[in-house]
Every structure is written in structure tokens, then in C-alpha cells.
Amino acid sequence: MIEVKQVGKVYPGKVIEQPLTDINFRVEEGEMVAVMGPSGSGKSTLINLLATLDQPSWGTILIQGIDTATFKRKETTRFRRETLGIIFQEFNLLDSLTVAENMLVPLMLGGKKTKAARDEMHHLAKRLQIDELLDKQVDEVSGGQRQRTAIGRALIHAPRLMLADEPTGALDFQATKHVMELLAELNEAGMTMVIVTHDPTVASYCNHVLFLKDGSIQTELFRDEPRRVFFQRVIESLSLLGGDEHHLSAIRPT
Amino acid sequence: MNITYLQYALRNIKRYQRLYYGYALTIIVAMTIATSYWNLVVSESFQNIAKVLSQLNQVIEMTMIFVFIAEVIILFFSILFIYSTTYTMLEHRKNDLRIMRTLGSGFSHFLKYFLIEILIVGGLAIMAGITLGIVLTKLMLLSIEKVMFLPKLSTEISVLSSLVLIAGALLVLLIATVLAIYRFRPDRPVRTRSRFRVRLSLAVQGLGILTLFYGYYLAITRQGNFLLVFPLVIFIGSFFFCRHVIPTLLKLYRPRRLSLRKLIISEIAVQLRTNSTLVALGTILTSCALTAVGLVFVFQLIGFDVSSKNEFGLVYYEESTQPSKRLGTIQQMMTETFPDKYQQAVRLKSFDTRYVLPLSDYNQLMQHLGYEPRALTSGEAFMIPARPVQIKEVTPTMKRAQAEMNKAGYDLKEASDHGLLFGYNDRIETLFVVTDSDFAQLKRPLATIHVFDTPSYTDYGTKSWEDWMSIVRNIQSKSNMAEKAKAPYQLINETEDELDFIRIVRLVSFVVILLTIWLFVINASFLHVWMQMTAEKEQKRLKTLFALGFSKRSVRTFLLVKYGAVLMVPYLISIFHAWLLFQVILSESGLKLGPYLPLSLIWIGIVTFFYLISILPLWIRYPRHLLKKSCESSMYPMADSRV
């Protein structure tokens, strides 16, 4: 599904920052990948590159076998509109719209206004347990509900690839668990996912974890054991990396 | 339940209504003024009256030039305002745009929903503006009637001219919006500036500063060329002072202990530096307003002593040997209404646009007006002015005509110097007086002009003036006008310049005052939009100040002083520039500044008063609004780059 080859990214400016040096990895169709690493390790840059919101300074990113650098502007837009779903830590909902309308925005952009689409929205809202909030403005609902709305918005057009940048960063423990179970369920249904996270609990839901530090991949883990055991391995890898103390102390066993 | 582009646009209008208030208000005012000017330009009754009272042609030409300049100013500032407001608005909504982008909104989608918003708000504002503009036109024509001593003017508002206006306004709206969108380029990644561009901009800046100082040199030495550099001086001067000079000076203040004062001063420096585009815009607007009002004053004070002692009359021109039926009607009307007023026929013969008249007819008319008669012998001729410009200078047309008269064997005597303008129209370019016998020998078709003495401006408001105006109306009525070619009616007038000057001053003051009002409105609304935009950031800053232990009172002082400086400093710069222009104009008119000093101070006082009124809501209410509102955190998905 995704193939990242020798990718680097430099932000121009007075102080030259290099968030990514040389990154290589593959994400198979139907995989659920977590990207972990301390602040400033280049996680968000990586997500921006995968979402074609930014272009790598060097190297190639192949998505479904196509080099994203060869995308024309319209193709990039269509790719984001049709193939991609993105979830943010800060939800990034449009304040002027209601919950339901927020979920329908990708359909508006895609030019789909069928009744089937609306039914799909209701179905999705039920599944996300926000079907009673549909007519509320987004600032009237709680953080967890907002994140579920954002997930609903990312799912409404049934994307094949889901990118999530700290999807549970602003959520409490219960909400995190709920969101992750939902994502895992979607993954089982065949959706490929890349999740950037600080949280080993979130990583333990995934079947492939990348550890990023100072702009390069330090280590990779593949899961072939129960989640609880995998969680321990994630923590071990974090501490082996020297990770950062902050993460270890913040770990909550589930 | 569904969401369409229209719904999304409507929601956004609702959400950003505070931003759109100022936007709509400015468009309404611009449209109102533009419509009234436009209606004036296309008003048929206004134009017709100009044809009848041909001396008015000059006044109307002058007026139309000023109206035209006013329209250009409105157009320019409308584009500038819409452009900068749209850009500011886009900056404010950057977050939403980024979200939409990540959801797959391309540039075309973005254009779709943003243009719908702009068209809804702009369209409504344009409609409102046109409606108000029609009302203003009525008021304007009413007052023009009074100030220009004209008969009743009717307003004909044609659908076509309204459509032209609407189309023009929409075009301006779209151009400005698309320009702003293009500069903002929400779907393009950031690029670094190339070394060439950096150097180019440095060179341009250097050139700008040189121009600025050259402008100041011209102003100090009171050279007329300053008028040409003035627009540049305003632009560059505002930028230069706000962005560089004042912040650098403020940085020099380094107290030993950190205090509120130091904080305020460094904030002012930062604000002036970062908001210099806005600040310069405000400065330019107020400068223009100030200058405009200043100009009115200059005009007024030069025109104060002008008194009206005009001969005022009707000259009927006709190219036929037999008097027409229409001339008969006019003669009858004039004789019946004004039995004791003077009438005379003057014979003319033409060589294309060169006309000659017999000495006896000329002398008869001159004697009536109280001039000495002139004498000629056979073969001699002299020139009399046929157009206003010919009173002041010898034009190429005059030289050509004189050469032709010489070629025809005439000995040209000294031209008349009485400043009498012998009723001019499109056809008559030059006029010569020859002896009666020479005139009789010319084998050319005979034309006649018939001169009628009529009531003058001193009779304004009396019955004879009313009667005269009813005759004018009768002559100008469309059924009569349609009968024959263009403008057969002319005026003869002894001292037309002076009275025209009163009319010009009054009309131009009128135009300029409206323009000034608009400039103040536009300035206030732009500041409003800007403050709305910076509110969120400002609230965060206040939160920090409170957290650091500042009292509410000191924070209030902080805000008042800071915004006072940010609003007043550019204004003071603009006063400075307007003052430079004012004194250059005065010395250009050959006047000394001394006697006009109190007057100019009154002028500055009045304008400052209105400026203060226009910014007061922002200055006082905005800090209060900031203090009252709780701090809201913003959520930027990708803070590091404009991706």
C-alpha cells in the first residue's frame, strides 16, 4: 500500500531544520501501523508527507504503486478526497457547522449528495454513538464526541487509507479505549491505517510499530502475540531506545 | 439533512458576521457614492441643461473631471480595501481552509464556497448601495439646482445604467477577491524567496527612500512637482516611518528596570512594524481625506471674494437666410416675458469653422454692453475670441485661421482685448470682424445668431428668474431638441470665469466631502476587520499578562496606550504629509501661508475630530471587548508551514 524510500525533508529557513533524514519502510494493504517517537522526531512531518500535504525534499513515496511526487495538483486533491481519511489530535472540525454537516463535508467536496450517502452517515453516526448529537454545533459537544465526529468525517467516504495524527492525544482513558477499538475494528474490515502516537497503549492495538528518533527510524516491531504482551514489547523498545522518561512514566497498563 | 456549498457559505457568513459587517458597510457606502456620481454623469436633464447653457459646458467639464477623479479614487480604494480585507479574512480562516484542504478541497472547491460567500454579502451590499445611491442622487440634484442656479432637474434612472453599475461593481469585487485569493494561495506550499528577489526588493526599497527624500526636498522648497510625487510620498513615507523609523526610535528606550512602560513601548514598536501594511493603508486613506478637505479649503479661500456681475443671455445660432419658425417662437416668448430686455441679430458668414461678422453688428452689440466701438477700413479685420481658451492664449487653431485670413488678403489688426466671449459652439472655432462692405462681398451662405439679454444670477429667486428658467426648460425639452442638429443655443457672457469658479468650487466641495466621508468609513471598517482578526491572539497575550501578575488596571492602560499609539501615529504622519501638500498648493496659487495659518489649523481640528469619532469605537470598545471575553485557545493543524 505505502512504500517510503530514502525520504528526507528539510524545512527552508534561517535555521536549517531537518525533521526527517532517510526513512525507509513499507506498509502492507490492511496493516495497522503505529509511528512512535519523542517530540520533534519527525512524526507529524511524516504524516504530512503521506497525506501529500507536503512534498519530501528527496526520496520517493509510493502509494498504491504511484509516486506521490508525480501527482498533479488536481490528482493530489482527488487522492485526498477519495483514498485518504485523516484524523487529527485537535479534531479540526469546522466550527460553523453541526456534527452531521461536518461529517458530510467530504461528500460535498466529492459532489455526492445521494440519499444513500446520507443513510450511510446515519449508520456511521450510530456506530460512533453520536447519532443523537447530529444537529448540535460542534462546540456544544464533548472532546470524545468531537473526536468521534472527526473519525466519522474521515470514514464517510470509505477511504482505503487512514492517517491519524495523535487521534487520542486530547482524549481521556475511556474515550481512548473506545476510539482505538473502533479503529481496530475498521482495520479488521480491511482499512489500512497509519497512526502517529505517543501512547504505547495506542501502539499496542497496531500490528506494526515504527520507532522514530531524530528524523530516522530506529527500530520496527511486528505484532504476532496478544495485545498485552505486545504492549510490554513496545515499552521495552521505548526504554531501550533511551526514549524519554516522560513516556515511560505516563504509561498506563491496560 | 445535507450540506451544500451554499449552506456552508451561509454558515460561514453567520460565523464571520463581525468581519463581514465592516466589509458590507464599506461596499454600501462606496456604492452609494459611486451610484450618485454615475447618475449625475448620465443624467440627461443635467446634460441637456449643459447644452442649453453652453457656458455651463465648461463648469460641467470641470465637474465631470472631478467626479471622474472621485470615481477613480473610489475604484482604487475599493479594490485595495476588498483585497486587503479578503486577505485578512483568509488569514483569519487559515485553519478552516487547511482542514478543508486535508479533506480534499481543491482550489476550485475553495473558489466555489468562498466566492459564494463574497457574492452573497457583496451582492446584497451592492443592491443596498444602489438603492441608497438613487436617494442620494435625488438629494444631490436638488442641491446642485440650488448651488448652480439651475432649473429643476429630474432624475431619470435607466435600468441599463443601473445594470452597468452592478456589473462594474461585481467585476471590481471579483477582481479584488481573486487577487487576494491568488496572493494567499491556500493550496500551494511555501517557497523561499530567491536571492534575486531579495536583492530586487532591497533595490526597490532604496529607490523608494530616495524618492521620499526627493519629495520632501520638493515640498520644503515649495516646488509644484511635489504634487506629482505626492502619492508616492504618502505610500513610502507611511511605510518608512511606521516600519523603520519609529520602531527604531522606540527601541532606544531602555530603562534599568522592566516596567509596564517598557512593555507598552516595545508592544507599540512591534505592532507598528508588523501591521505596517494596514497602518500605511489607514494613513493613505486619512491623508487623502485630509488633503481632499484641505483642497476644498484652498479652493474656498481663493474663491471667497468672487462676486457675480454677469451679463447673462441666450444666443440662438442658425445657418439659414430665412429665420426659422423656432426662432420666431423663441423671439416671441422672450419679447412677451421680458419686453424691456435687449435683443439683436448678428449676421455671420463661414469658411468651414472660420466665421466672419460685419463690423456694424459687432459694434452695436459692444455698445450695448458698454464697450468702445472699433473702426476698420476695407481690407482690414480683427479677431475676437470664440472659445474660453482663446481669451487666455493664442492657440494653434487661431494661428492657422489668422494665416488663412492673411492669405485671403486681409490685413489683421490687433485682436480685441475685452474678454467677451462671443457665444461659442462646436461649429464656430474662430471669429473675425470685417467691414460691412467686405462682408457683403463675400460669396458665402449667410448664417444668423440671435442674441437675447436675459435675467442674471442676481435675479436668482425672483419671478423674472423663474420665467427665464421656464423658457430654458421649454427650449431644452426633448421634443424641441430632437428637431435639429446639436446645440443650436448658446450663451453670451461677459465675465464667465468668475461665476463658473463659484460653481466649480461648490460642486467640487460637494464631491470631495462625500468622498471624505467614504474614506473615513473605509478606514474605520478596515481597522474593525483587523481588530476582529487579531482578537484571538490579543486575548492570549492578555491572559499571559494576567498570569504574570499585572492588575486589570495596568492591562487596561496597556491596551489604551497601545491602541491609541497604533491608531494615532499613522494619523499624525498623514497630517504631516497633508500639511506638506497644503503649503505647496498654497504657494503654487501664489498665496502666503501666514494669513491662512488659523484657517488651516481649524481645518486640521475639524478633520481630527472626525477621525477621532471614526476610531473611537475601536479605541475604547475594543480593549473592553478583549478584557471581557474569555481566552480561547486556537487549534492549528499544521502550525509550522502554510501547507
Side-chain angles (χ1 to χ4, degrees), chain B residues 230-241:
Chain B
F230 182 64
L232 283 176
V233 168
I234 293 189
F235 254 112
I236 304 166
S238 320
F239 269 103
F240 182 63
F241 279 104

Side-chain angles (χ1 to χ4, degrees), chain B residues 165-224:
Chain B
L165 254 180
I166 294 174
L170 283 178
L171 197 70
V172 167
L173 192 71
L174 285 181
I175 289 175
T177 310
V178 171
L179 271 179
I181 294 174
Y182 182 75
R183 192 187 144 203
F184 189 77
R185 281 172 289 198
D187 65 330
R188 290 187 202 179
V190 230
R191 290 205 186 98
T192 39
R193 290 167 84 194
S194 69
R195 192 164 287 177
F196 171 73
R197 284 192 66 174
V198 172
R199 278 184 192 161
L200 187 73
S201 84
L202 272 179
V204 169
Q205 279 177 27
L207 204 69
I209 289 169
L210 281 180
T211 318
L212 180 70
F213 282 101
Y214 176 64
Y216 287 157
Y217 166 74
L218 287 180
I220 289 166
T221 53
R222 294 188 185 166
Q223 294 182 36

Side-chain angles (χ1 to χ4, degrees), chain B residues 531-556:
Chain B
M531 288 194 165
Q532 287 296 331
M533 198 196 102
T534 49
E536 203 173 303
K537 224 177 185 180
E538 203 58 46
Q539 279 161 7
K540 276 187 186 167
R541 208 185 317 238
L542 292 191
K543 198 177 177 184
T544 318
L545 285 185
F546 281 127
L548 289 174
F550 281 96
S551 70
K552 199 165 181 180
R553 205 177 138 191
S554 30
V555 171
R556 194 175 292 142

Side-chain angles (χ1 to χ4, degrees), chain A residues 12 48 53-54 73 77 80-81 88 90 92-97 100-101 104-105 108-109 118 135 153, chain B residues 1-5 11-12 15 99-106 109 187-188 192 635 637-638 643:
Chain A
N48 281 354
L53 292 168
D54 215 342
R73 196 176 294 166
T77 312
R80 285 203 287 265
R81 205 164 60 223
F88 297 99
E90 299 282 6
N92 288 325
L93 298 170
L94 299 165
D95 303 357
S96 50
L97 303 180
E101 286 163 348
L104 286 165
V105 167
M108 171 181 97
L109 295 171
R118 263 172 284 150
D135 287 326
R153 184 179 65 183
Chain B
M1 194 183 302
N2 208 341
I3 178 96
T4 58
Y5 287 104
R11 295 297 167 81
N12 277 335
R15 180 166 178 223
I99 296 169
M100 288 301 271
R101 188 169 168 251
T102 54
L103 294 178
S105 154
H109 299 102
D187 65 330
R188 290 187 202 179
T192 39
M635 299 173 288
M638 279 142 281
V643 289

